[in-house]
Amino acid sequence: MRSKTRRTLRAAAIGGIMAGALALPATAAHAQPSGCQVMTSSNTVSAYCATGTGEYQAVARCEKPGNPLPTLRYGQWRSPGGQPSTVSCLSGEELKYGQIRFR
């Protein structure tokens, strides 16, 4: 009976810690870049963000004719105001769309 009570208390304590961690406000490391653009040309995706904090990355959804499963390809992580992030589909693949992701 005693070990069951300990397990219950331990689970409650861990749950409280996790809930507290999720309630913390976002810090500067979680702020997103702004003034962003995504451009596509042929089989290449280029993403650029002018301002803000954090990092961004170009993402290309590439599909090979006859294969129902797409492949996601990723560009370099970049800081706002610097170089654009670019990524291209491989030979034999078609670019279906491009997007940007943040961290």
Side-chain angles (χ1 to χ4, degrees), residues 1-92:
M1 181 73 127
R2 192 172 188 180
S3 67
K4 184 177 180 183
T5 303
R6 263 192 221 155
R7 278 189 293 220
T8 302
L9 290 174
R10 190 177 317 149
I14 291 171
I17 291 169
M18 295 301 290
L22 293 175
L24 294 175
T27 62
H30 293 97
Q32 285 190 355
S34 57
C36 301
Q37 299 178 356
V38 178
M39 297 146 285
T40 59
S41 172
S42 185
N43 272 2
T44 301
V45 177
S46 179
Y48 177 78
C49 294
T51 59
T53 59
E55 293 181 306
Y56 63 93
Q57 180 183 50
V59 180
R61 180 184 171 127
C62 305
E63 294 182 2
K64 196 171 229 176
N67 184 352
L69 298 175
T71 300
L72 294 178
R73 304 211 178 276
Y74 301 94
Q76 315 85 339
W77 284 107
R78 300 289 192 192
S79 297
Q83 297 290 321
S85 175
T86 59
V87 62
S88 296
C89 294
L90 300 178
S91 178

